[in-house]
Amino acid sequence: MSASPSASSRGSRTGVWLIGARGSVATTVVAGCAAMTAGLHPPTGMVTETPDFTGTGLPALSSLVFGGHDTVDCPLPKRAEALAAGGVLPHGLPAAVGAELAAADREIRPGGPLPGDTRDEETLIAAFAADITDFARRSGAERTVVVNVASTEPAPTGDALPASSLYAAAALRAGCPYVNFTPSTGLHHPALSAPAAASGLPHAGRDGKTGQTLLRSVLGPMFTQRALAVRAWSGTNLLGGGDGAALADPAAAAAKNAGKERVLADTLGAPVEGEVHIDDVPALGDWKTAWDHIAFDGFLGARMFLQTTWQGCDSALAAPLVLDLARLVVRAHQRGLTGPLGELGFYFKDPVGDGPSSLAEQYTVLKRFAGRLADDADTDPAPDAAEAAPAVDERGARR
């Protein structure tokens, strides 16, 4: 997975540009892809490696090359060692895939804006887009997808583009499909609606569904289908790491909780009493615990309760989904699909486009989508990403 292939290997690579490229999720993505490619670990958690996706023309895991933006300078090999020490990565894996981690780390560029940064929006977008197109050209990637896995940011106020939207605009300008795996604004900013539509690029998001909300998208339909009346649904999340620190900000937590509450409202048919509380517990690191307390009425008004506990590692839950999404969106781009990919709602709390909220129904839609991708899987040539990038104006609009 070196980013410096020989000339003979050009034409067979797919770029994955990660926003938040030195974070826990990104590090787990790079290390995990290298481990699976080398046959060190099976593709557990990767839906695209199941039989339903055979023959869909998805890029091979071995073809993926990584780069990205970040505002921190901790090298990926060192970050991977810390994750192994915390039990997120298997012991010994950082050393086994050290070359791949180092290669990806060499392709990480400074993000922004940092405190005191005097560059205006146009300058930042142009710089970020140049980083992406340069990576695509040097790595020999036929296509490059931009995936936001950075920490959650508060909802924006005013007209200024938040950092997530600057990166999203840069993806449009570089001619790259885009995935927002976070609750941050990204392409949802009003200023990017027209450029996104004009770009002709597929995009997906937002906020990856990895734990508590995944369970809610299964249990909510169960209550509805069995005609059981849910009176209240409350939840608590305990988590540490960078996400825990970011979500200690009430504004960022509000952005995160909006998706969780929306899933319940959609699957139950109406909003329900109860809230989700998020507590930052630094000692937990990348591990999290989510509790749900559900009060519901049964036959003849019998009052009953269901309590669930979800304990898991957020990075290990997210990484296979990020790899799935990168492959699916790149293939959608190759097939000429454009705009919001609502068919990928299976992966998100707050999906773009239209679609069901029940996980079972979302999976049915996803399998149909896989069938669309399979058509003529081996006959669709892909232009070089740098050559295919459309000319764009300020904030990512086409010229």
Side-chain angles (χ1 to χ4, degrees), residues 174-200:
C176 296
Y178 172 80
V179 177
N180 188 2
F181 201 73
T182 80
S184 300
T185 303
L187 283 181
H188 279 66
H189 196 284
L192 297 185
S193 295
S199 71

Side-chain angles (χ1 to χ4, degrees), residues 289-309:
T289 297
W291 291 306
D292 271 316
H293 186 280
I294 308 160
F296 65 99
D297 290 341
F299 190 55
L300 303 178
R303 294 207 158 188
M304 294 177 276
F305 303 90
L306 172 65
Q307 297 180 48
T308 67
T309 302

Side-chain angles (χ1 to χ4, degrees), residues 1-16 33 37 58-66 100 103-104 107 135-145 326 330-331 333-334 382-386:
M1 297 196 315
S2 168
S4 301
S6 65
S8 63
S9 68
R10 288 183 63 88
S12 62
R13 291 174 178 262
T14 297
V16 182
C33 186
T37 297
L58 301 180
L61 290 172
S62 59
S63 77
L64 303 185
V65 290
F66 298 91
E100 289 85 351
E107 298 299 330
F135 164 76
R137 184 178 302 108
R138 289 183 300 98
S139 68
E142 293 176 345
R143 297 173 191 270
T144 297
V145 59
V330 163
R331 178 59 182 153
H333 188 213
Q334 186 181 40
D384 183 275

